[in-house]
Amino acid sequence: INSVNETFAVYPNPNNGEFTVNVGLLSENTYLEIYNSIGQLINKQLIKDNAVKVNMTEQADGIYHVRITKEGLQLYKSKIIKD
C-alpha cells in the first residue's frame, strides 16, 4: 500500500449499499475494485472522476473490500460495511 492513502476516502462507512469513493490523485488507467468477504470480485470500473458513486444495494449485507489499482499496483485498500 502506498503512502498516498490520505488522498483517498470512502464514505459513509457503514452504509446501506450506496457510498462514494473520493480519489484525490486521479490518473489514467486507475480502477475501483470491490470484493466480497470471500474474495470474489463483484465490481470493477475505470475511474473517470474524482468522486465515484457506487450502488451495491442488490448485494448482501456484510463486509466488502475496496481497492484502487493502477496498472496492477494497489494504491489504496479499505473495508466497508453494508448494513
Side-chain angles (χ1 to χ4, degrees), residues 25-75:
L25 299 173
L26 183 63
S27 61
E28 292 183 18
N29 300 318
T30 303
Y31 287 88
L32 167 66
E33 300 174 348
I34 301 174
Y35 294 84
N36 63 17
S37 61
I38 59 172
Q40 294 173 316
L41 179 65
I42 59 167
N43 183 331
K44 180 176 182 176
Q45 64 189 68
L46 182 65
I47 297 174
K48 298 178 183 175
D49 296 310
N50 287 352
V52 178
K53 295 196 181 283
V54 179
N55 185 328
M56 296 187 3
T57 53
E58 294 183 13
Q59 298 294 327
D61 290 352
I63 297 174
Y64 291 86
H65 302 274
V66 176
R67 292 183 187 159
I68 306 294
T69 62
K70 178 181 167 93
E71 298 171 1
L73 298 175
Q74 182 174 287
L75 301 177

mmCIF file of all heavy atoms in Angstrom, residues 25-75:
data_model
loop_
_atom_site.group_PDB
_atom_site.id
_atom_site.type_symbol
_atom_site.label_atom_id
_atom_site.label_comp_id
_atom_site.label_asym_id
_atom_site.label_seq_id
_atom_site.Cartn_x
_atom_site.Cartn_y
_atom_site.Cartn_z
ATOM 1 N N LEU A 25 -5.794 11.794 -6.360
ATOM 2 C CA LEU A 25 -4.796 11.857 -7.423
ATOM 3 C C LEU A 25 -5.248 10.994 -8.592
ATOM 4 O O LEU A 25 -4.776 9.886 -8.780
ATOM 5 C CB LEU A 25 -3.430 11.382 -6.911
ATOM 6 C CG LEU A 25 -2.831 12.196 -5.781
ATOM 7 C CD1 LEU A 25 -1.573 11.533 -5.253
ATOM 8 C CD2 LEU A 25 -2.524 13.611 -6.247
ATOM 9 N N LEU A 26 -6.187 11.502 -9.353
ATOM 10 C CA LEU A 26 -6.732 10.751 -10.462
ATOM 11 C C LEU A 26 -5.747 10.731 -11.624
ATOM 12 O O LEU A 26 -5.151 11.747 -11.966
ATOM 13 C CB LEU A 26 -8.049 11.383 -10.918
ATOM 14 C CG LEU A 26 -8.791 10.672 -12.031
ATOM 15 C CD1 LEU A 26 -9.210 9.277 -11.579
ATOM 16 C CD2 LEU A 26 -9.994 11.469 -12.456
ATOM 17 N N SER A 27 -5.544 9.560 -12.193
ATOM 18 C CA SER A 27 -4.699 9.437 -13.375
ATOM 19 C C SER A 27 -5.270 8.352 -14.274
ATOM 20 O O SER A 27 -6.166 7.607 -13.881
ATOM 21 C CB SER A 27 -3.259 9.124 -12.983
ATOM 22 O OG SER A 27 -3.198 7.910 -12.284
ATOM 23 N N GLU A 28 -4.759 8.244 -15.484
ATOM 24 C CA GLU A 28 -5.261 7.263 -16.430
ATOM 25 C C GLU A 28 -5.038 5.833 -15.922
ATOM 26 O O GLU A 28 -4.109 5.576 -15.172
ATOM 27 C CB GLU A 28 -4.568 7.434 -17.773
ATOM 28 C CG GLU A 28 -4.930 8.712 -18.479
ATOM 29 C CD GLU A 28 -4.277 8.812 -19.846
ATOM 30 O OE1 GLU A 28 -3.839 7.778 -20.385
ATOM 31 O OE2 GLU A 28 -4.207 9.930 -20.363
ATOM 32 N N ASN A 29 -5.904 4.944 -16.371
ATOM 33 C CA ASN A 29 -5.801 3.515 -16.055
ATOM 34 C C ASN A 29 -5.866 3.228 -14.563
ATOM 35 O O ASN A 29 -5.190 2.340 -14.056
ATOM 36 C CB ASN A 29 -4.532 2.912 -16.661
ATOM 37 C CG ASN A 29 -4.511 3.038 -18.168
ATOM 38 O OD1 ASN A 29 -5.528 2.820 -18.816
ATOM 39 N ND2 ASN A 29 -3.383 3.413 -18.727
ATOM 40 N N THR A 30 -6.686 3.988 -13.845
ATOM 41 C CA THR A 30 -6.917 3.748 -12.423
ATOM 42 C C THR A 30 -8.289 3.108 -12.280
ATOM 43 O O THR A 30 -9.266 3.586 -12.856
ATOM 44 C CB THR A 30 -6.837 5.064 -11.628
ATOM 45 O OG1 THR A 30 -5.562 5.655 -11.851
ATOM 46 C CG2 THR A 30 -7.019 4.826 -10.143
ATOM 47 N N TYR A 31 -8.356 2.015 -11.506
ATOM 48 C CA TYR A 31 -9.595 1.251 -11.372
ATOM 49 C C TYR A 31 -10.051 1.161 -9.932
ATOM 50 O O TYR A 31 -9.238 1.110 -9.011
ATOM 51 C CB TYR A 31 -9.386 -0.182 -11.899
ATOM 52 C CG TYR A 31 -9.286 -0.258 -13.395
ATOM 53 C CD1 TYR A 31 -8.057 -0.098 -14.027
ATOM 54 C CD2 TYR A 31 -10.415 -0.474 -14.171
ATOM 55 C CE1 TYR A 31 -7.963 -0.156 -15.408
ATOM 56 C CE2 TYR A 31 -10.322 -0.532 -15.550
ATOM 57 C CZ TYR A 31 -9.099 -0.371 -16.167
ATOM 58 O OH TYR A 31 -9.016 -0.436 -17.524
ATOM 59 N N LEU A 32 -11.368 1.109 -9.770
ATOM 60 C CA LEU A 32 -12.010 0.810 -8.495
ATOM 61 C C LEU A 32 -12.427 -0.650 -8.557
ATOM 62 O O LEU A 32 -13.088 -1.076 -9.511
ATOM 63 C CB LEU A 32 -13.241 1.698 -8.305
ATOM 64 C CG LEU A 32 -14.192 1.306 -7.180
ATOM 65 C CD1 LEU A 32 -13.520 1.474 -5.837
ATOM 66 C CD2 LEU A 32 -15.465 2.105 -7.260
ATOM 67 N N GLU A 33 -12.022 -1.432 -7.562
ATOM 68 C CA GLU A 33 -12.402 -2.838 -7.472
ATOM 69 C C GLU A 33 -13.071 -3.083 -6.131
ATOM 70 O O GLU A 33 -12.595 -2.591 -5.103
ATOM 71 C CB GLU A 33 -11.172 -3.743 -7.585
ATOM 72 C CG GLU A 33 -10.422 -3.591 -8.877
ATOM 73 C CD GLU A 33 -9.133 -4.387 -8.917
ATOM 74 O OE1 GLU A 33 -8.690 -4.893 -7.858
ATOM 75 O OE2 GLU A 33 -8.559 -4.500 -10.010
ATOM 76 N N ILE A 34 -14.152 -3.841 -6.142
ATOM 77 C CA ILE A 34 -14.852 -4.187 -4.901
ATOM 78 C C ILE A 34 -14.947 -5.707 -4.824
ATOM 79 O O ILE A 34 -15.388 -6.366 -5.780
ATOM 80 C CB ILE A 34 -16.248 -3.554 -4.841
ATOM 81 C CG1 ILE A 34 -16.110 -2.034 -4.934
ATOM 82 C CG2 ILE A 34 -16.966 -3.970 -3.559
ATOM 83 C CD1 ILE A 34 -17.415 -1.300 -5.039
ATOM 84 N N TYR A 35 -14.510 -6.245 -3.689
ATOM 85 C CA TYR A 35 -14.503 -7.691 -3.450
ATOM 86 C C TYR A 35 -15.424 -8.010 -2.276
ATOM 87 O O TYR A 35 -15.499 -7.238 -1.311
ATOM 88 C CB TYR A 35 -13.091 -8.168 -3.097
ATOM 89 C CG TYR A 35 -12.112 -8.024 -4.231
ATOM 90 C CD1 TYR A 35 -11.463 -6.823 -4.455
ATOM 91 C CD2 TYR A 35 -11.829 -9.097 -5.062
ATOM 92 C CE1 TYR A 35 -10.563 -6.679 -5.502
ATOM 93 C CE2 TYR A 35 -10.931 -8.963 -6.109
ATOM 94 C CZ TYR A 35 -10.304 -7.755 -6.323
ATOM 95 O OH TYR A 35 -9.410 -7.612 -7.353
ATOM 96 N N ASN A 36 -16.088 -9.171 -2.340
ATOM 97 C CA ASN A 36 -16.900 -9.592 -1.197
ATOM 98 C C ASN A 36 -16.010 -10.242 -0.144
ATOM 99 O O ASN A 36 -14.787 -10.328 -0.306
ATOM 100 C CB ASN A 36 -18.052 -10.499 -1.634
ATOM 101 C CG ASN A 36 -17.591 -11.803 -2.253
ATOM 102 O OD1 ASN A 36 -16.439 -12.218 -2.110
ATOM 103 N ND2 ASN A 36 -18.502 -12.465 -2.955
ATOM 104 N N SER A 37 -16.613 -10.722 0.926
ATOM 105 C CA SER A 37 -15.845 -11.232 2.069
ATOM 106 C C SER A 37 -15.075 -12.517 1.759
ATOM 107 O O SER A 37 -14.150 -12.864 2.488
ATOM 108 C CB SER A 37 -16.761 -11.461 3.269
ATOM 109 O OG SER A 37 -17.748 -12.422 2.938
ATOM 110 N N ILE A 38 -15.434 -13.223 0.679
ATOM 111 C CA ILE A 38 -14.689 -14.432 0.333
ATOM 112 C C ILE A 38 -13.726 -14.197 -0.837
ATOM 113 O O ILE A 38 -13.198 -15.139 -1.417
ATOM 114 C CB ILE A 38 -15.627 -15.637 0.057
ATOM 115 C CG1 ILE A 38 -16.590 -15.348 -1.086
ATOM 116 C CG2 ILE A 38 -16.370 -16.019 1.324
ATOM 117 C CD1 ILE A 38 -17.404 -16.562 -1.522
ATOM 118 N N GLY A 39 -13.523 -12.928 -1.180
ATOM 119 C CA GLY A 39 -12.512 -12.576 -2.167
ATOM 120 C C GLY A 39 -12.961 -12.554 -3.616
ATOM 121 O O GLY A 39 -12.125 -12.424 -4.508
ATOM 122 N N GLN A 40 -14.263 -12.665 -3.866
ATOM 123 C CA GLN A 40 -14.759 -12.615 -5.238
ATOM 124 C C GLN A 40 -14.885 -11.161 -5.692
ATOM 125 O O GLN A 40 -15.445 -10.327 -4.973
ATOM 126 C CB GLN A 40 -16.131 -13.276 -5.349
ATOM 127 C CG GLN A 40 -16.114 -14.757 -5.081
ATOM 128 C CD GLN A 40 -17.515 -15.330 -5.026
ATOM 129 O OE1 GLN A 40 -18.408 -14.752 -4.421
ATOM 130 N NE2 GLN A 40 -17.698 -16.487 -5.656
ATOM 131 N N LEU A 41 -14.386 -10.865 -6.887
ATOM 132 C CA LEU A 41 -14.521 -9.541 -7.468
ATOM 133 C C LEU A 41 -15.967 -9.353 -7.896
ATOM 134 O O LEU A 41 -16.484 -10.119 -8.709
ATOM 135 C CB LEU A 41 -13.588 -9.398 -8.677
ATOM 136 C CG LEU A 41 -13.627 -8.068 -9.415
ATOM 137 C CD1 LEU A 41 -13.136 -6.935 -8.522
ATOM 138 C CD2 LEU A 41 -12.793 -8.152 -10.679
ATOM 139 N N ILE A 42 -16.655 -8.357 -7.332
ATOM 140 C CA ILE A 42 -18.061 -8.138 -7.681
ATOM 141 C C ILE A 42 -18.275 -6.855 -8.474
ATOM 142 O O ILE A 42 -19.332 -6.647 -9.037
ATOM 143 C CB ILE A 42 -18.970 -8.146 -6.430
ATOM 144 C CG1 ILE A 42 -18.553 -7.058 -5.450
ATOM 145 C CG2 ILE A 42 -18.978 -9.514 -5.778
ATOM 146 C CD1 ILE A 42 -19.586 -6.827 -4.373
ATOM 147 N N ASN A 43 -17.266 -5.985 -8.516
ATOM 148 C CA ASN A 43 -17.390 -4.743 -9.271
ATOM 149 C C ASN A 43 -15.995 -4.255 -9.628
ATOM 150 O O ASN A 43 -15.110 -4.201 -8.771
ATOM 151 C CB ASN A 43 -18.132 -3.700 -8.428
ATOM 152 C CG ASN A 43 -18.370 -2.391 -9.165
ATOM 153 O OD1 ASN A 43 -17.622 -1.990 -10.043
ATOM 154 N ND2 ASN A 43 -19.437 -1.709 -8.787
ATOM 155 N N LYS A 44 -15.802 -3.917 -10.893
ATOM 156 C CA LYS A 44 -14.551 -3.299 -11.324
ATOM 157 C C LYS A 44 -14.909 -2.251 -12.357
ATOM 158 O O LYS A 44 -15.637 -2.541 -13.305
ATOM 159 C CB LYS A 44 -13.585 -4.321 -11.924
ATOM 160 C CG LYS A 44 -12.264 -3.696 -12.380
ATOM 161 C CD LYS A 44 -11.291 -4.736 -12.883
ATOM 162 C CE LYS A 44 -9.974 -4.087 -13.269
ATOM 163 N NZ LYS A 44 -8.975 -5.098 -13.679
ATOM 164 N N GLN A 45 -14.425 -1.049 -12.134
ATOM 165 C CA GLN A 45 -14.727 0.008 -13.090
ATOM 166 C C GLN A 45 -13.572 0.983 -13.186
ATOM 167 O O GLN A 45 -12.858 1.219 -12.216
ATOM 168 C CB GLN A 45 -16.014 0.730 -12.704
ATOM 169 C CG GLN A 45 -15.960 1.473 -11.378
ATOM 170 C CD GLN A 45 -17.312 1.978 -10.953
ATOM 171 O OE1 GLN A 45 -18.200 1.184 -10.632
ATOM 172 N NE2 GLN A 45 -17.498 3.274 -10.946
ATOM 173 N N LEU A 46 -13.409 1.521 -14.382
ATOM 174 C CA LEU A 46 -12.413 2.549 -14.626
ATOM 175 C C LEU A 46 -12.868 3.823 -13.932
ATOM 176 O O LEU A 46 -14.035 4.219 -14.042
ATOM 177 C CB LEU A 46 -12.261 2.782 -16.129
ATOM 178 C CG LEU A 46 -11.227 3.796 -16.574
ATOM 179 C CD1 LEU A 46 -9.827 3.341 -16.209
ATOM 180 C CD2 LEU A 46 -11.337 4.027 -18.076
ATOM 181 N N ILE A 47 -11.968 4.455 -13.195
ATOM 182 C CA ILE A 47 -12.313 5.693 -12.504
ATOM 183 C C ILE A 47 -12.130 6.850 -13.475
ATOM 184 O O ILE A 47 -11.048 7.059 -14.015
ATOM 185 C CB ILE A 47 -11.431 5.886 -11.257
ATOM 186 C CG1 ILE A 47 -11.675 4.754 -10.268
ATOM 187 C CG2 ILE A 47 -11.688 7.248 -10.628
ATOM 188 C CD1 ILE A 47 -10.766 4.775 -9.070
ATOM 189 N N LYS A 48 -13.218 7.594 -13.699
ATOM 190 C CA LYS A 48 -13.191 8.702 -14.656
ATOM 191 C C LYS A 48 -13.311 10.062 -13.982
ATOM 192 O O LYS A 48 -13.019 11.080 -14.589
ATOM 193 C CB LYS A 48 -14.318 8.532 -15.674
ATOM 194 C CG LYS A 48 -14.173 7.265 -16.496
ATOM 195 C CD LYS A 48 -15.317 7.106 -17.452
ATOM 196 C CE LYS A 48 -15.191 5.800 -18.220
ATOM 197 N NZ LYS A 48 -16.324 5.540 -19.076
ATOM 198 N N ASP A 49 -13.790 10.082 -12.741
ATOM 199 C CA ASP A 49 -13.981 11.326 -12.000
ATOM 200 C C ASP A 49 -13.339 11.188 -10.625
ATOM 201 O O ASP A 49 -13.116 10.077 -10.150
ATOM 202 C CB ASP A 49 -15.478 11.633 -11.827
ATOM 203 C CG ASP A 49 -16.175 11.871 -13.156
ATOM 204 O OD1 ASP A 49 -15.658 12.675 -13.954
ATOM 205 O OD2 ASP A 49 -17.216 11.241 -13.393
ATOM 206 N N ASN A 50 -13.109 12.315 -9.966
ATOM 207 C CA ASN A 50 -12.510 12.291 -8.630
ATOM 208 C C ASN A 50 -13.438 11.690 -7.585
ATOM 209 O O ASN A 50 -12.977 11.186 -6.579
ATOM 210 C CB ASN A 50 -12.083 13.690 -8.207
ATOM 211 C CG ASN A 50 -10.844 14.138 -8.956
ATOM 212 O OD1 ASN A 50 -10.230 13.361 -9.666
ATOM 213 N ND2 ASN A 50 -10.490 15.390 -8.808
ATOM 214 N N ALA A 51 -14.749 11.744 -7.817
ATOM 215 C CA ALA A 51 -15.718 11.146 -6.895
ATOM 216 C C ALA A 51 -16.525 10.098 -7.653
ATOM 217 O O ALA A 51 -17.175 10.405 -8.648
ATOM 218 C CB ALA A 51 -16.638 12.204 -6.310
ATOM 219 N N VAL A 52 -16.450 8.862 -7.198
ATOM 220 C CA VAL A 52 -17.153 7.755 -7.832
ATOM 221 C C VAL A 52 -18.277 7.311 -6.900
ATOM 222 O O VAL A 52 -18.021 6.937 -5.760
ATOM 223 C CB VAL A 52 -16.198 6.571 -8.095
ATOM 224 C CG1 VAL A 52 -16.939 5.414 -8.716
ATOM 225 C CG2 VAL A 52 -15.027 7.006 -8.949
ATOM 226 N N LYS A 53 -19.513 7.349 -7.383
ATOM 227 C CA LYS A 53 -20.642 6.861 -6.598
ATOM 228 C C LYS A 53 -20.859 5.388 -6.932
ATOM 229 O O LYS A 53 -20.883 5.007 -8.090
ATOM 230 C CB LYS A 53 -21.888 7.683 -6.889
ATOM 231 C CG LYS A 53 -21.745 9.122 -6.440
ATOM 232 C CD LYS A 53 -23.082 9.798 -6.375
ATOM 233 C CE LYS A 53 -22.937 11.234 -5.958
ATOM 234 N NZ LYS A 53 -22.708 11.419 -4.576
ATOM 235 N N VAL A 54 -21.007 4.590 -5.880
ATOM 236 C CA VAL A 54 -21.163 3.141 -6.043
ATOM 237 C C VAL A 54 -22.505 2.728 -5.457
ATOM 238 O O VAL A 54 -22.879 3.167 -4.365
ATOM 239 C CB VAL A 54 -20.015 2.385 -5.329
ATOM 240 C CG1 VAL A 54 -20.194 0.885 -5.465
ATOM 241 C CG2 VAL A 54 -18.666 2.831 -5.870
ATOM 242 N N ASN A 55 -23.235 1.890 -6.193
ATOM 243 C CA ASN A 55 -24.506 1.370 -5.710
ATOM 244 C C ASN A 55 -24.399 -0.148 -5.628
ATOM 245 O O ASN A 55 -24.268 -0.828 -6.643
ATOM 246 C CB ASN A 55 -25.642 1.773 -6.650
ATOM 247 C CG ASN A 55 -26.995 1.352 -6.126
ATOM 248 O OD1 ASN A 55 -27.139 0.332 -5.450
ATOM 249 N ND2 ASN A 55 -28.005 2.124 -6.439
ATOM 250 N N MET A 56 -24.452 -0.658 -4.415
ATOM 251 C CA MET A 56 -24.405 -2.101 -4.168
ATOM 252 C C MET A 56 -25.632 -2.554 -3.387
ATOM 253 O O MET A 56 -25.577 -3.498 -2.611
ATOM 254 C CB MET A 56 -23.142 -2.464 -3.370
ATOM 255 C CG MET A 56 -21.877 -2.200 -4.103
ATOM 256 S SD MET A 56 -20.386 -2.793 -3.269
ATOM 257 C CE MET A 56 -20.941 -3.621 -1.817
ATOM 258 N N THR A 57 -26.755 -1.880 -3.581
ATOM 259 C CA THR A 57 -27.948 -2.209 -2.804
ATOM 260 C C THR A 57 -28.437 -3.631 -3.068
ATOM 261 O O THR A 57 -29.103 -4.215 -2.227
ATOM 262 C CB THR A 57 -29.075 -1.201 -3.077
ATOM 263 O OG1 THR A 57 -29.300 -1.118 -4.490
ATOM 264 C CG2 THR A 57 -28.722 0.179 -2.550
ATOM 265 N N GLU A 58 -28.108 -4.208 -4.232
ATOM 266 C CA GLU A 58 -28.534 -5.577 -4.538
ATOM 267 C C GLU A 58 -27.618 -6.623 -3.918
ATOM 268 O O GLU A 58 -27.933 -7.807 -3.945
ATOM 269 C CB GLU A 58 -28.603 -5.768 -6.053
ATOM 270 C CG GLU A 58 -29.686 -4.923 -6.692
ATOM 271 C CD GLU A 58 -29.800 -5.160 -8.187
ATOM 272 O OE1 GLU A 58 -29.213 -6.138 -8.691
ATOM 273 O OE2 GLU A 58 -30.488 -4.373 -8.834
ATOM 274 N N GLN A 59 -26.491 -6.207 -3.358
ATOM 275 C CA GLN A 59 -25.562 -7.142 -2.705
ATOM 276 C C GLN A 59 -26.012 -7.399 -1.268
ATOM 277 O O GLN A 59 -26.673 -6.573 -0.648
ATOM 278 C CB GLN A 59 -24.143 -6.573 -2.702
ATOM 279 C CG GLN A 59 -23.564 -6.359 -4.078
ATOM 280 C CD GLN A 59 -23.337 -7.660 -4.827
ATOM 281 O OE1 GLN A 59 -23.031 -8.690 -4.247
ATOM 282 N NE2 GLN A 59 -23.502 -7.608 -6.142
ATOM 283 N N ALA A 60 -25.617 -8.532 -0.729
ATOM 284 C CA ALA A 60 -25.961 -8.894 0.651
ATOM 285 C C ALA A 60 -25.247 -7.972 1.639
ATOM 286 O O ALA A 60 -24.191 -7.413 1.338
ATOM 287 C CB ALA A 60 -25.558 -10.337 0.919
ATOM 288 N N ASP A 61 -25.832 -7.814 2.817
ATOM 289 C CA ASP A 61 -25.172 -7.066 3.882
ATOM 290 C C ASP A 61 -23.893 -7.791 4.278
ATOM 291 O O ASP A 61 -23.808 -9.019 4.204
ATOM 292 C CB ASP A 61 -26.083 -6.948 5.110
ATOM 293 C CG ASP A 61 -27.273 -6.032 4.853
ATOM 294 O OD1 ASP A 61 -27.322 -5.382 3.802
ATOM 295 O OD2 ASP A 61 -28.156 -5.974 5.738
ATOM 296 N N GLY A 62 -22.887 -7.042 4.691
ATOM 297 C CA GLY A 62 -21.647 -7.659 5.121
ATOM 298 C C GLY A 62 -20.462 -6.736 4.912
ATOM 299 O O GLY A 62 -20.613 -5.534 4.717
ATOM 300 N N ILE A 63 -19.280 -7.326 4.942
ATOM 301 C CA ILE A 63 -18.040 -6.573 4.787
ATOM 302 C C ILE A 63 -17.538 -6.739 3.359
ATOM 303 O O ILE A 63 -17.494 -7.856 2.828
ATOM 304 C CB ILE A 63 -16.975 -7.064 5.784
ATOM 305 C CG1 ILE A 63 -17.455 -6.801 7.216
ATOM 306 C CG2 ILE A 63 -15.630 -6.396 5.524
ATOM 307 C CD1 ILE A 63 -16.556 -7.376 8.281
ATOM 308 N N TYR A 64 -17.153 -5.624 2.760
ATOM 309 C CA TYR A 64 -16.614 -5.616 1.398
ATOM 310 C C TYR A 64 -15.260 -4.910 1.424
ATOM 311 O O TYR A 64 -14.984 -4.092 2.296
ATOM 312 C CB TYR A 64 -17.572 -4.903 0.438
ATOM 313 C CG TYR A 64 -18.841 -5.694 0.228
ATOM 314 C CD1 TYR A 64 -19.911 -5.568 1.105
ATOM 315 C CD2 TYR A 64 -18.952 -6.589 -0.821
ATOM 316 C CE1 TYR A 64 -21.071 -6.319 0.936
ATOM 317 C CE2 TYR A 64 -20.102 -7.344 -1.004
ATOM 318 C CZ TYR A 64 -21.154 -7.199 -0.123
ATOM 319 O OH TYR A 64 -22.298 -7.955 -0.286
ATOM 320 N N HIS A 65 -14.437 -5.246 0.456
ATOM 321 C CA HIS A 65 -13.102 -4.662 0.360
ATOM 322 C C HIS A 65 -13.040 -3.787 -0.882
ATOM 323 O O HIS A 65 -13.376 -4.252 -1.982
ATOM 324 C CB HIS A 65 -12.043 -5.758 0.303
ATOM 325 C CG HIS A 65 -12.098 -6.664 1.483
ATOM 326 N ND1 HIS A 65 -11.442 -6.388 2.653
ATOM 327 C CD2 HIS A 65 -12.769 -7.822 1.691
ATOM 328 C CE1 HIS A 65 -11.700 -7.351 3.528
ATOM 329 N NE2 HIS A 65 -12.506 -8.225 2.963
ATOM 330 N N VAL A 66 -12.614 -2.551 -0.705
ATOM 331 C CA VAL A 66 -12.471 -1.602 -1.802
ATOM 332 C C VAL A 66 -10.986 -1.448 -2.093
ATOM 333 O O VAL A 66 -10.184 -1.249 -1.179
ATOM 334 C CB VAL A 66 -13.068 -0.226 -1.408
ATOM 335 C CG1 VAL A 66 -12.831 0.797 -2.497
ATOM 336 C CG2 VAL A 66 -14.544 -0.365 -1.102
ATOM 337 N N ARG A 67 -10.631 -1.550 -3.361
ATOM 338 C CA ARG A 67 -9.243 -1.356 -3.765
ATOM 339 C C ARG A 67 -9.190 -0.379 -4.926
ATOM 340 O O ARG A 67 -10.022 -0.425 -5.827
ATOM 341 C CB ARG A 67 -8.604 -2.669 -4.208
ATOM 342 C CG ARG A 67 -8.417 -3.643 -3.088
ATOM 343 C CD ARG A 67 -7.727 -4.886 -3.571
ATOM 344 N NE ARG A 67 -7.717 -5.864 -2.479
ATOM 345 C CZ ARG A 67 -7.569 -7.160 -2.652
ATOM 346 N NH1 ARG A 67 -7.397 -7.647 -3.855
ATOM 347 N NH2 ARG A 67 -7.571 -7.976 -1.626
ATOM 348 N N ILE A 68 -8.209 0.478 -4.890
ATOM 349 C CA ILE A 68 -7.909 1.358 -6.009
ATOM 350 C C ILE A 68 -6.595 0.853 -6.597
ATOM 351 O O ILE A 68 -5.605 0.720 -5.881
ATOM 352 C CB ILE A 68 -7.748 2.824 -5.561
ATOM 353 C CG1 ILE A 68 -8.973 3.303 -4.774
ATOM 354 C CG2 ILE A 68 -7.462 3.722 -6.757
ATOM 355 C CD1 ILE A 68 -10.245 3.399 -5.541
ATOM 356 N N THR A 69 -6.608 0.528 -7.888
ATOM 357 C CA THR A 69 -5.407 -0.006 -8.518
ATOM 358 C C THR A 69 -5.056 0.791 -9.775
ATOM 359 O O THR A 69 -5.928 1.384 -10.415
ATOM 360 C CB THR A 69 -5.575 -1.488 -8.917
ATOM 361 O OG1 THR A 69 -6.619 -1.600 -9.867
ATOM 362 C CG2 THR A 69 -5.870 -2.361 -7.718
ATOM 363 N N LYS A 70 -3.790 0.800 -10.085
ATOM 364 C CA LYS A 70 -3.306 1.398 -11.331
ATOM 365 C C LYS A 70 -2.240 0.475 -11.886
ATOM 366 O O LYS A 70 -1.253 0.193 -11.208
ATOM 367 C CB LYS A 70 -2.729 2.790 -11.090
ATOM 368 C CG LYS A 70 -2.169 3.411 -12.362
ATOM 369 C CD LYS A 70 -1.592 4.775 -12.108
ATOM 370 C CE LYS A 70 -0.782 5.193 -13.291
ATOM 371 N NZ LYS A 70 -1.480 5.954 -14.253
ATOM 372 N N GLU A 71 -2.496 -0.026 -13.100
ATOM 373 C CA GLU A 71 -1.562 -0.909 -13.784
ATOM 374 C C GLU A 71 -1.120 -2.070 -12.886
ATOM 375 O O GLU A 71 0.051 -2.405 -12.806
ATOM 376 C CB GLU A 71 -0.373 -0.110 -14.302
ATOM 377 C CG GLU A 71 -0.783 0.939 -15.312
ATOM 378 C CD GLU A 71 0.323 1.897 -15.695
ATOM 379 O OE1 GLU A 71 1.454 1.765 -15.199
ATOM 380 O OE2 GLU A 71 0.034 2.797 -16.494
ATOM 381 N N GLY A 72 -2.091 -2.658 -12.175
ATOM 382 C CA GLY A 72 -1.818 -3.810 -11.340
ATOM 383 C C GLY A 72 -1.267 -3.503 -9.962
ATOM 384 O O GLY A 72 -1.140 -4.386 -9.129
ATOM 385 N N LEU A 73 -0.916 -2.261 -9.696
ATOM 386 C CA LEU A 73 -0.391 -1.882 -8.379
ATOM 387 C C LEU A 73 -1.517 -1.369 -7.500
ATOM 388 O O LEU A 73 -2.331 -0.547 -7.927
ATOM 389 C CB LEU A 73 0.683 -0.799 -8.520
ATOM 390 C CG LEU A 73 1.922 -1.189 -9.317
ATOM 391 C CD1 LEU A 73 2.829 0.022 -9.480
ATOM 392 C CD2 LEU A 73 2.654 -2.330 -8.640
ATOM 393 N N GLN A 74 -1.560 -1.832 -6.269
ATOM 394 C CA GLN A 74 -2.581 -1.398 -5.330
ATOM 395 C C GLN A 74 -2.189 -0.059 -4.728
ATOM 396 O O GLN A 74 -1.135 0.071 -4.122
ATOM 397 C CB GLN A 74 -2.744 -2.447 -4.243
ATOM 398 C CG GLN A 74 -3.808 -2.116 -3.236
ATOM 399 C CD GLN A 74 -4.008 -3.266 -2.294
ATOM 400 O OE1 GLN A 74 -4.564 -4.275 -2.660
ATOM 401 N NE2 GLN A 74 -3.533 -3.120 -1.074
ATOM 402 N N LEU A 75 -3.046 0.946 -4.899
ATOM 403 C CA LEU A 75 -2.783 2.275 -4.356
ATOM 404 C C LEU A 75 -3.490 2.500 -3.026
ATOM 405 O O LEU A 75 -3.026 3.267 -2.196
ATOM 406 C CB LEU A 75 -3.237 3.353 -5.343
ATOM 407 C CG LEU A 75 -2.603 3.324 -6.724
ATOM 408 C CD1 LEU A 75 -3.213 4.420 -7.585
ATOM 409 C CD2 LEU A 75 -1.099 3.469 -6.638
#
